[in-house]
Amino acid sequence: MDTGLLVLRWVVGLLIAGHGVQKVSFRLGGNGLAGGTEEFRRDGFRGGRLTALVAGGSQLGAGLFLAAGLLTPLAAMAAMGVMTVAGTVKRHNGLWVQNDGYEYPLVLVGAAAVLVLTGPGRWSADHAMGLSPWPSWVQAATLVAGPASGLLTRAVLHRPYAAGRSDHARAAG
């Protein structure tokens, strides 16, 4: 089981961290901070550069902490939050990723939730520091606060569209 959790943490954590790197740099196929800023503006978010920096930094930090199994509930909460936002952006495309849907963000939210519920495993920073297992109330709070923070972020930072235009109509042009 510990080997499986290690593999899950590395895959999920490093993929989420990679998304953060892409938001703020030209590495890993990113378009730099200007590109990340434009992506958020195009998706209808306020804040521009600051939004891109916070989202990219959150993804990078959450991903690296998940990969290390360090403060796993907090890392998973941040990961679930940013990936919930990503899912809301893609929801108008439906579920499946081949249509640019929210399947991939949903898988990452689910994987982060699994890590909260199982703990990071024996081969983790949390275990080495005696922090694991986390109390059940921390797990429950994390599972609620992660997606809720993403939905709150969406509600606060997303600009309403012109009257009569849906997400789908706006995305189509």
Side-chain angles (χ1 to χ4, degrees), residues 1 6 8 14 21 27 30 33 38 40 44 47-48 65 74 77 89 94 110 131 136-137 139-140 144 156-157 173:
M1 185 163 101
L6 178 66
L8 181 63
L14 294 176
V21 168
R27 299 200 185 277
L33 184 55
E38 180 54 33
F40 279 99
F65 274 53
L74 296 176
M77 183 174 59
V89 169
L131 298 174
S136 59
W137 70 266
Q139 294 170 324
V144 171
V156 170
L157 292 180

Side-chain angles (χ1 to χ4, degrees), residues 54-151:
V54 170
S58 295
Q59 287 175 316
L60 179 59
L64 292 177
F65 274 53
L66 275 178
L70 177 60
L71 302 176
T72 302
L74 296 176
M77 183 174 59
M80 287 188 286
V82 295
M83 296 318 298
T84 296
V85 172
T88 68
V89 169
K90 296 177 175 297
R91 80 177 186 281
H92 67 272
N93 295 325
L95 175 62
W96 303 113
V97 74
Q98 71 264 23
N99 299 321
D100 197 30
Y102 61 92
E103 173 188 6
Y104 181 64
L106 181 61
V107 167
L108 293 177
V109 168
V114 166
L115 290 170
V116 169
L117 293 170
T118 62
R122 190 175 35 170
W123 299 327
S124 67
D126 283 353
H127 182 77
M129 295 187 307
L131 298 174
S132 184
W134 289 87
S136 59
W137 70 266
V138 171
Q139 294 170 324
T142 299
L143 294 174
V144 171
S149 69
L151 295 174

